[in-house]
Amino acid sequence: IVLCIIFIFSLGLTILYSVAPDFVAHQLIYFALGLALFFLFSHLDYRIFQGLPLILYFLSIILLVSPFFLGKVTRGASRWITIGPFTLQPSEAVKPLLILSLAGFVASRNLRNLKNLLLLLLLFLPIAFLVFYQPALGSMLVVLVIFLAIVLMSDMKPGHFFLALFFGGLLLPLIWRFLADYQKKRVLAFLNPRGDPLGSGYHLIQSKIAVGSGRIFG
């Protein structure tokens, strides 16, 4: 795993150096910090987190609220906070914290009980709302997949899962109404890139052309 990480990072750093050499030093520092954290957590017993789901959950809430008070609005979004020369996106740190906190809740409660399932949903909704409100549609989709994956791996009744899917489907028109115009364009471009080939669908079409031209060996 470490060799794969170093290899991919080296490719990325080479490309970054060719287009924005000023950012190479920052990238190296982030990589060193990330690698140190990787080794630290790989040597920790994951069971130490079992007694901390509530603390990790509230830490997630604090991190997601922080950009609204400590961050600055960039291109209409409040997703980042600045610490010295570095810019951090709290929603990225929340993803592993969310996994640990929700998994801790699921491990201690029986989700075949509808009351516990609804309580889990209530715990997830503030996280989802804060990520959506920033707005960060990509991160919102990731935390949603995290939530669904944890629920699917639990012992919940299949009937409850399909019931949740049904009500989630009913909410889609409401969610669509609250999306920003550029977010709607992203969704539409994903479903039908040919609808705007020179605008929102341009990059998706070009990526298909690149893959098709390169074939198996690139």
Side-chain angles (χ1 to χ4, degrees), residues 78-155:
S78 300
R79 305 175 195 164
W80 302 273
I81 56 175
T82 302
I83 301 175
F86 300 105
T87 302
L88 304 176
Q89 189 172 353
S91 60
E92 292 299 320
V94 163
K95 291 168 187 175
L97 294 177
L98 182 65
I99 293 170
L100 290 169
S101 59
L102 293 185
F105 177 89
V106 170
S108 63
R109 293 174 185 264
N110 180 9
L111 287 197
R112 296 185 74 82
N113 185 326
L114 186 58
K115 181 180 177 181
N116 289 335
L117 184 60
L118 290 174
L119 182 57
L120 180 67
L121 179 62
L122 287 175
L123 287 172
F124 172 71
L125 286 177
I127 300 282
F129 174 77
L130 287 170
V131 175
F132 182 79
Y133 190 69
Q134 287 182 355
L137 183 60
S139 294
M140 173 63 208
L141 293 174
V142 172
V143 297
L144 181 61
V145 169
I146 288 171
F147 174 76
L148 291 175
I150 289 175
V151 169
L152 282 172
M153 293 300 293
S154 70
D155 57 350

Side-chain angles (χ1 to χ4, degrees), residues 29-203:
I29 293 172
Y30 278 127
F31 179 70
L33 288 172
L35 204 60
L37 288 171
F38 172 81
F39 281 113
L40 171 64
F41 281 96
S42 67
H43 286 82
L44 286 178
D45 186 343
Y46 71 91
R47 285 170 291 193
I48 66 173
F49 298 106
Q50 285 185 336
L52 304 173
L54 202 59
I55 294 173
L56 296 174
Y57 175 77
F58 282 112
L59 179 59
S60 301
I61 296 290
I62 292 169
L63 283 171
L64 289 175
V65 169
S66 62
F68 298 113
F69 298 97
L70 304 176
K72 59 180 181 180
V73 178
T74 306
R75 288 177 290 181
S78 300
R79 305 175 195 164
W80 302 273
I81 56 175
T82 302
I83 301 175
F86 300 105
T87 302
L88 304 176
Q89 189 172 353
S91 60
E92 292 299 320
V94 163
K95 291 168 187 175
L97 294 177
L98 182 65
I99 293 170
L100 290 169
S101 59
L102 293 185
F105 177 89
V106 170
S108 63
R109 293 174 185 264
N110 180 9
L111 287 197
R112 296 185 74 82
N113 185 326
L114 186 58
K115 181 180 177 181
N116 289 335
L117 184 60
L118 290 174
L119 182 57
L120 180 67
L121 179 62
L122 287 175
L123 287 172
F124 172 71
L125 286 177
I127 300 282
F129 174 77
L130 287 170
V131 175
F132 182 79
Y133 190 69
Q134 287 182 355
L137 183 60
S139 294
M140 173 63 208
L141 293 174
V142 172
V143 297
L144 181 61
V145 169
I146 288 171
F147 174 76
L148 291 175
I150 289 175
V151 169
L152 282 172
M153 293 300 293
S154 70
D155 57 350
M156 71 176 296
K157 293 179 180 179
H160 289 164
F161 175 73
F162 289 113
L163 189 65
L165 281 182
F166 174 73
F167 283 109
L170 293 179
L171 287 174
L172 284 178
L174 182 63
I175 295 171
W176 179 261
R177 183 176 179 182
F178 283 98
L179 289 179
D181 288 339
Y182 75 92
Q183 292 173 329
K184 291 179 180 178
K185 284 183 179 179
R186 285 183 183 177
V187 175
L188 293 173
F190 172 74
L191 295 174
N192 180 27
R194 296 287 175 184
D196 188 12
L198 297 179
S200 57
Y202 179 80
H203 291 290

